[in-house]
Amino acid sequence: MHGISIHSALAIKRQRKKREAKARKQRRGSSNPSLGEYLADERTQGKIRANKIVGTVTMFHIGTIFTLIGILLGLAAIITNQTQSEMAELIGTGIICLVIGVFLLVLNSIYGKKEEEELEQYVEARLSKTKDGGQLVQDV
């Protein structure tokens, strides 16, 4: 009875080690991947990049669009020959779009600075050493 349970425990331990080694290899990347691995990795990377490109519309982009629309509406009101009421509507709408765009751009810069500070603190914590030379935070 004991022999079977010991063999099962050793088999489970070997499987865990294999999975951990495989996971480490995937995290680090192999030094000489085979052509099949390389092509499969490129296809996966392409899908990931395509998904990221679609999902990267930020406040900066929206703020820029609003700012440009506001400027174009203001220029359209100034350049064209329109009645005073039409001109006032275009300028008013342009100013509102311009204000919204500038607000979003300022808000994006505030959030960007906050994220940079958090990233800097994280990197400092990861790279800092204790007095005896060991890492302060262990690698995952």
Side-chain angles (χ1 to χ4, degrees), residues 85-101:
S85 64
E86 291 174 345
M87 188 181 213
E89 288 176 9
L90 280 176
I91 290 177
T93 307
I95 289 173
I96 290 172
C97 286
L98 192 62
V99 167
I100 291 171

Side-chain angles (χ1 to χ4, degrees), residues 78-137:
I78 294 170
I79 293 173
T80 59
N81 293 330
Q82 297 177 358
T83 62
Q84 289 292 334
S85 64
E86 291 174 345
M87 188 181 213
E89 288 176 9
L90 280 176
I91 290 177
T93 307
I95 289 173
I96 290 172
C97 286
L98 192 62
V99 167
I100 291 171
V102 170
F103 174 74
L104 289 173
L105 290 173
V106 169
L107 196 62
N108 181 57
S109 68
I110 292 169
Y111 281 136
K113 287 178 186 175
K114 181 180 174 185
E115 288 176 0
E116 285 178 13
E117 290 172 0
E118 289 175 357
L119 179 63
E120 185 178 326
Q121 290 174 355
Y122 174 77
V123 169
E124 285 177 6
R126 292 298 246 177
L127 296 178
S128 62
K129 304 259 184 197
T130 59
K131 289 182 181 179
D132 64 349
Q135 283 189 341
L136 187 63
V137 180

Side-chain angles (χ1 to χ4, degrees), residues 50-66 104 108:
N51 291 341
K52 285 186 179 181
I53 291 172
V54 171
T56 57
V57 176
T58 63
M59 280 190 290
F60 175 77
H61 297 100
I62 296 171
T64 304
I65 296 299
F66 268 100
L104 289 173
N108 181 57

Side-chain angles (χ1 to χ4, degrees), residues 4-90:
I4 294 173
S5 61
I6 290 173
H7 287 293
S8 297
L10 290 174
I12 291 171
K13 190 175 182 181
R14 276 193 304 269
Q15 289 297 323
R16 283 184 188 155
K17 284 183 180 180
K18 283 181 184 179
R19 276 187 252 134
E20 288 173 2
K22 187 177 179 182
R24 267 188 264 124
K25 185 178 178 182
Q26 286 177 348
R27 273 188 263 140
R28 291 182 185 161
S30 62
S31 58
N32 292 323
S34 67
L35 181 60
E37 289 175 357
Y38 181 75
L39 292 175
D41 189 44
E42 283 295 314
R43 279 186 244 125
T44 306
Q45 291 277 339
K47 289 179 183 177
I48 292 171
R49 272 191 234 123
N51 291 341
K52 285 186 179 181
I53 291 172
V54 171
T56 57
V57 176
T58 63
M59 280 190 290
F60 175 77
H61 297 100
I62 296 171
T64 304
I65 296 299
F66 268 100
T67 304
L68 288 175
I69 289 172
I71 291 170
L72 290 175
L73 285 172
L75 288 175
I78 294 170
I79 293 173
T80 59
N81 293 330
Q82 297 177 358
T83 62
Q84 289 292 334
S85 64
E86 291 174 345
M87 188 181 213
E89 288 176 9
L90 280 176

